mmCIF file of all heavy atoms in Angstrom:
data_model
loop_
_atom_site.group_PDB
_atom_site.id
_atom_site.type_symbol
_atom_site.label_atom_id
_atom_site.label_comp_id
_atom_site.label_asym_id
_atom_site.label_seq_id
_atom_site.Cartn_x
_atom_site.Cartn_y
_atom_site.Cartn_z
ATOM 1 N N GLY A 1 2.340 85.736 62.941
ATOM 2 C CA GLY A 1 3.051 86.141 64.167
ATOM 3 C C GLY A 1 3.410 85.019 65.136
ATOM 4 O O GLY A 1 3.954 85.330 66.162
ATOM 5 N N ILE A 2 3.242 83.709 64.676
ATOM 6 C CA ILE A 2 3.672 82.721 65.610
ATOM 7 C C ILE A 2 5.117 82.493 65.523
ATOM 8 O O ILE A 2 5.830 82.849 64.422
ATOM 9 C CB ILE A 2 2.956 81.458 65.227
ATOM 10 C CG1 ILE A 2 3.362 80.875 63.900
ATOM 11 C CG2 ILE A 2 1.448 81.554 65.241
ATOM 12 C CD1 ILE A 2 2.963 79.366 63.737
ATOM 13 N N ILE A 3 5.778 82.001 66.553
ATOM 14 C CA ILE A 3 7.209 81.575 66.471
ATOM 15 C C ILE A 3 7.431 80.490 65.512
ATOM 16 O O ILE A 3 6.657 79.365 65.535
ATOM 17 C CB ILE A 3 7.724 81.290 67.838
ATOM 18 C CG1 ILE A 3 7.703 82.485 68.713
ATOM 19 C CG2 ILE A 3 9.041 80.501 67.713
ATOM 20 C CD1 ILE A 3 8.165 82.261 70.209
ATOM 21 N N MET A 4 8.283 80.624 64.519
ATOM 22 C CA MET A 4 8.695 79.650 63.498
ATOM 23 C C MET A 4 9.078 78.252 64.214
ATOM 24 O O MET A 4 10.077 78.309 64.852
ATOM 25 C CB MET A 4 9.520 80.119 62.410
ATOM 26 C CG MET A 4 9.278 81.315 61.888
ATOM 27 S SD MET A 4 8.078 81.214 60.520
ATOM 28 C CE MET A 4 9.204 80.562 59.261
ATOM 29 N N PRO A 5 8.429 77.182 63.950
ATOM 30 C CA PRO A 5 8.885 75.949 64.555
ATOM 31 C C PRO A 5 10.144 75.488 63.860
ATOM 32 O O PRO A 5 10.265 75.386 62.616
ATOM 33 C CB PRO A 5 7.759 74.961 64.298
ATOM 34 C CG PRO A 5 7.012 75.574 63.151
ATOM 35 C CD PRO A 5 7.116 77.004 63.156
ATOM 36 N N LEU A 6 11.204 75.168 64.579
ATOM 37 C CA LEU A 6 12.514 74.934 64.234
ATOM 38 C C LEU A 6 12.695 73.524 63.908
ATOM 39 O O LEU A 6 12.467 72.523 64.675
ATOM 40 C CB LEU A 6 13.530 75.444 65.191
ATOM 41 C CG LEU A 6 15.006 75.212 64.777
ATOM 42 C CD1 LEU A 6 15.413 75.980 63.652
ATOM 43 C CD2 LEU A 6 15.970 75.454 65.968
ATOM 44 N N SER A 7 13.135 73.158 62.600
ATOM 45 C CA SER A 7 13.619 71.849 62.319
ATOM 46 C C SER A 7 15.241 71.829 62.401
ATOM 47 O O SER A 7 15.757 71.018 62.947
ATOM 48 C CB SER A 7 13.168 71.466 60.899
ATOM 49 O OG SER A 7 13.856 70.240 60.330
ATOM 50 N N GLU A 8 15.779 72.846 61.708
ATOM 51 C CA GLU A 8 17.271 72.949 61.795
ATOM 52 C C GLU A 8 17.694 74.410 61.352
ATOM 53 O O GLU A 8 16.803 75.118 60.845
ATOM 54 C CB GLU A 8 17.958 71.948 60.796
ATOM 55 C CG GLU A 8 17.492 72.153 59.403
ATOM 56 C CD GLU A 8 18.174 70.960 58.534
ATOM 57 O OE1 GLU A 8 17.750 69.840 58.610
ATOM 58 O OE2 GLU A 8 19.108 71.290 57.739
ATOM 59 N N GLY A 9 18.787 74.770 61.611
ATOM 60 C CA GLY A 9 19.270 76.133 61.344
ATOM 61 C C GLY A 9 20.716 76.405 61.629
ATOM 62 O O GLY A 9 21.363 75.526 62.390
ATOM 63 N N ASP A 10 21.224 77.416 61.096
ATOM 64 C CA ASP A 10 22.582 77.705 61.342
ATOM 65 C C ASP A 10 22.841 79.201 61.450
ATOM 66 O O ASP A 10 22.012 80.005 61.114
ATOM 67 C CB ASP A 10 23.585 77.072 60.424
ATOM 68 C CG ASP A 10 23.335 77.602 58.939
ATOM 69 O OD1 ASP A 10 22.428 78.286 58.760
ATOM 70 O OD2 ASP A 10 24.254 77.134 58.177
ATOM 71 N N ILE A 11 24.002 79.588 61.946
ATOM 72 C CA ILE A 11 24.429 80.929 62.115
ATOM 73 C C ILE A 11 25.650 81.134 61.119
ATOM 74 O O ILE A 11 26.448 80.275 61.094
ATOM 75 C CB ILE A 11 24.612 81.416 63.411
ATOM 76 C CG1 ILE A 11 25.687 80.599 64.129
ATOM 77 C CG2 ILE A 11 23.323 81.374 64.258
ATOM 78 C CD1 ILE A 11 26.210 81.171 65.476
ATOM 79 N N VAL A 12 25.753 82.361 60.581
ATOM 80 C CA VAL A 12 26.984 82.733 59.816
ATOM 81 C C VAL A 12 27.398 84.175 60.281
ATOM 82 O O VAL A 12 26.685 84.905 60.818
ATOM 83 C CB VAL A 12 26.651 82.640 58.393
ATOM 84 C CG1 VAL A 12 26.457 81.255 57.872
ATOM 85 C CG2 VAL A 12 25.475 83.485 57.973
ATOM 86 N N LYS A 13 28.685 84.442 59.913
ATOM 87 C CA LYS A 13 29.150 85.815 60.219
ATOM 88 C C LYS A 13 28.399 86.804 59.255
ATOM 89 O O LYS A 13 27.986 86.478 58.105
ATOM 90 C CB LYS A 13 30.581 85.870 59.932
ATOM 91 C CG LYS A 13 31.375 85.087 60.949
ATOM 92 C CD LYS A 13 32.919 85.190 60.666
ATOM 93 C CE LYS A 13 33.715 84.437 61.644
ATOM 94 N NZ LYS A 13 35.237 84.502 61.444
ATOM 95 N N ALA A 14 28.304 88.106 59.681
ATOM 96 C CA ALA A 14 27.543 89.091 58.820
ATOM 97 C C ALA A 14 28.264 90.364 59.031
ATOM 98 O O ALA A 14 29.011 90.661 60.048
ATOM 99 C CB ALA A 14 26.109 89.153 59.431
ATOM 100 N N ASN A 15 28.097 91.265 58.046
ATOM 101 C CA ASN A 15 28.561 92.669 58.003
ATOM 102 C C ASN A 15 27.491 93.622 57.906
ATOM 103 O O ASN A 15 26.626 93.349 57.100
ATOM 104 C CB ASN A 15 29.646 92.778 56.882
ATOM 105 C CG ASN A 15 31.108 92.795 57.377
ATOM 106 O OD1 ASN A 15 31.520 91.993 58.197
ATOM 107 N ND2 ASN A 15 31.773 93.837 57.020
ATOM 108 N N ILE A 16 27.575 94.711 58.596
ATOM 109 C CA ILE A 16 26.593 95.846 58.472
ATOM 110 C C ILE A 16 27.182 96.857 57.487
ATOM 111 O O ILE A 16 28.263 97.362 57.684
ATOM 112 C CB ILE A 16 26.133 96.382 59.744
ATOM 113 C CG1 ILE A 16 25.641 95.353 60.818
ATOM 114 C CG2 ILE A 16 25.103 97.590 59.549
ATOM 115 C CD1 ILE A 16 24.624 94.687 60.369
ATOM 116 N N THR A 17 26.418 97.059 56.477
ATOM 117 C CA THR A 17 26.792 98.057 55.405
ATOM 118 C C THR A 17 26.220 99.477 55.515
ATOM 119 O O THR A 17 26.869 100.470 55.162
ATOM 120 C CB THR A 17 26.585 97.510 53.888
ATOM 121 O OG1 THR A 17 25.128 97.180 53.867
ATOM 122 C CG2 THR A 17 27.398 96.268 53.674
ATOM 123 N N SER A 18 24.988 99.538 55.973
ATOM 124 C CA SER A 18 24.332 100.814 56.169
ATOM 125 C C SER A 18 23.205 100.760 57.101
ATOM 126 O O SER A 18 22.841 99.635 57.628
ATOM 127 C CB SER A 18 23.805 101.248 54.763
ATOM 128 O OG SER A 18 22.932 100.292 54.281
ATOM 129 N N VAL A 19 22.661 101.811 57.370
ATOM 130 C CA VAL A 19 21.556 101.867 58.356
ATOM 131 C C VAL A 19 20.282 102.728 57.814
ATOM 132 O O VAL A 19 20.549 103.942 57.273
ATOM 133 C CB VAL A 19 21.893 102.471 59.673
ATOM 134 C CG1 VAL A 19 20.733 102.623 60.641
ATOM 135 C CG2 VAL A 19 23.018 101.770 60.270
ATOM 136 N N SER A 20 19.066 102.086 57.742
ATOM 137 C CA SER A 20 17.999 102.906 57.462
ATOM 138 C C SER A 20 17.382 103.436 58.863
ATOM 139 O O SER A 20 17.022 102.741 59.654
ATOM 140 C CB SER A 20 16.874 102.004 56.825
ATOM 141 O OG SER A 20 15.631 102.608 56.683
ATOM 142 N N LYS A 21 17.510 104.753 58.960
ATOM 143 C CA LYS A 21 17.095 105.339 60.312
ATOM 144 C C LYS A 21 15.717 105.248 60.665
ATOM 145 O O LYS A 21 14.703 105.203 59.876
ATOM 146 C CB LYS A 21 17.511 106.815 60.310
ATOM 147 C CG LYS A 21 18.890 107.246 60.243
ATOM 148 C CD LYS A 21 19.127 108.704 60.303
ATOM 149 C CE LYS A 21 18.792 109.301 61.564
ATOM 150 N NZ LYS A 21 19.085 110.702 61.760
ATOM 151 N N SER A 22 15.378 104.977 61.996
ATOM 152 C CA SER A 22 14.063 104.950 62.503
ATOM 153 C C SER A 22 13.506 106.423 62.713
ATOM 154 O O SER A 22 14.213 107.281 63.062
ATOM 155 C CB SER A 22 14.106 104.329 63.932
ATOM 156 O OG SER A 22 14.162 102.931 63.795
ATOM 157 N N THR A 23 12.312 106.508 62.369
ATOM 158 C CA THR A 23 11.555 107.781 62.620
ATOM 159 C C THR A 23 10.284 107.512 63.326
ATOM 160 O O THR A 23 9.876 106.253 63.274
ATOM 161 C CB THR A 23 11.298 108.599 61.271
ATOM 162 O OG1 THR A 23 10.541 107.730 60.402
ATOM 163 C CG2 THR A 23 12.597 108.982 60.649
ATOM 164 N N GLY A 24 9.547 108.472 63.830
ATOM 165 C CA GLY A 24 8.196 108.213 64.593
ATOM 166 C C GLY A 24 7.251 107.527 63.499
ATOM 167 O O GLY A 24 6.957 108.090 62.483
ATOM 168 N N GLY A 25 6.814 106.346 63.879
ATOM 169 C CA GLY A 25 5.964 105.571 63.061
ATOM 170 C C GLY A 25 6.455 104.756 62.006
ATOM 171 O O GLY A 25 5.803 103.861 61.480
ATOM 172 N N CYS A 26 7.839 104.910 61.863
ATOM 173 C CA CYS A 26 8.399 103.951 60.941
ATOM 174 C C CYS A 26 9.830 103.444 61.430
ATOM 175 O O CYS A 26 10.833 104.206 61.439
ATOM 176 C CB CYS A 26 8.608 104.777 59.680
ATOM 177 S SG CYS A 26 9.343 103.836 58.317
ATOM 178 N N PRO A 27 9.862 102.187 61.942
ATOM 179 C CA PRO A 27 11.212 101.648 62.444
ATOM 180 C C PRO A 27 12.137 101.465 61.226
ATOM 181 O O PRO A 27 11.790 100.966 60.167
ATOM 182 C CB PRO A 27 10.811 100.363 63.021
ATOM 183 C CG PRO A 27 9.573 99.996 62.356
ATOM 184 C CD PRO A 27 8.800 101.238 62.141
ATOM 185 N N GLY A 28 13.359 101.773 61.416
ATOM 186 C CA GLY A 28 14.454 101.608 60.495
ATOM 187 C C GLY A 28 15.041 100.098 60.719
ATOM 188 O O GLY A 28 14.468 99.366 61.235
ATOM 189 N N ALA A 29 16.131 99.912 59.900
ATOM 190 C CA ALA A 29 16.788 98.570 59.898
ATOM 191 C C ALA A 29 18.286 98.633 59.658
ATOM 192 O O ALA A 29 18.724 99.658 58.948
ATOM 193 C CB ALA A 29 16.046 97.712 58.911
ATOM 194 N N LEU A 30 19.022 97.805 60.171
ATOM 195 C CA LEU A 30 20.404 97.541 59.783
ATOM 196 C C LEU A 30 20.422 96.819 58.542
ATOM 197 O O LEU A 30 19.730 95.765 58.375
ATOM 198 C CB LEU A 30 21.028 96.687 60.899
ATOM 199 C CG LEU A 30 21.289 97.335 62.277
ATOM 200 C CD1 LEU A 30 21.863 96.258 63.234
ATOM 201 C CD2 LEU A 30 21.957 98.674 62.285
#
């Protein structure tokens, strides 16, 4: 649960293809 100490990193473009829906007790995801 700790914040990952950063050495280096980058960002890239992304595309969302589908969604797993959230329900009570179970969060979904993009």
Side-chain angles (χ1 to χ4, degrees):
I2 72 162
I3 292 180
M4 303 281 281
L6 177 69
S7 172
E8 59 185 72
D10 63 355
I11 60 172
V12 294
K13 293 181 179 180
N15 254 52
I16 304 301
T17 55
S18 62
V19 178
S20 171
K21 290 183 66 171
S22 284
T23 58
C26 183
L30 297 177

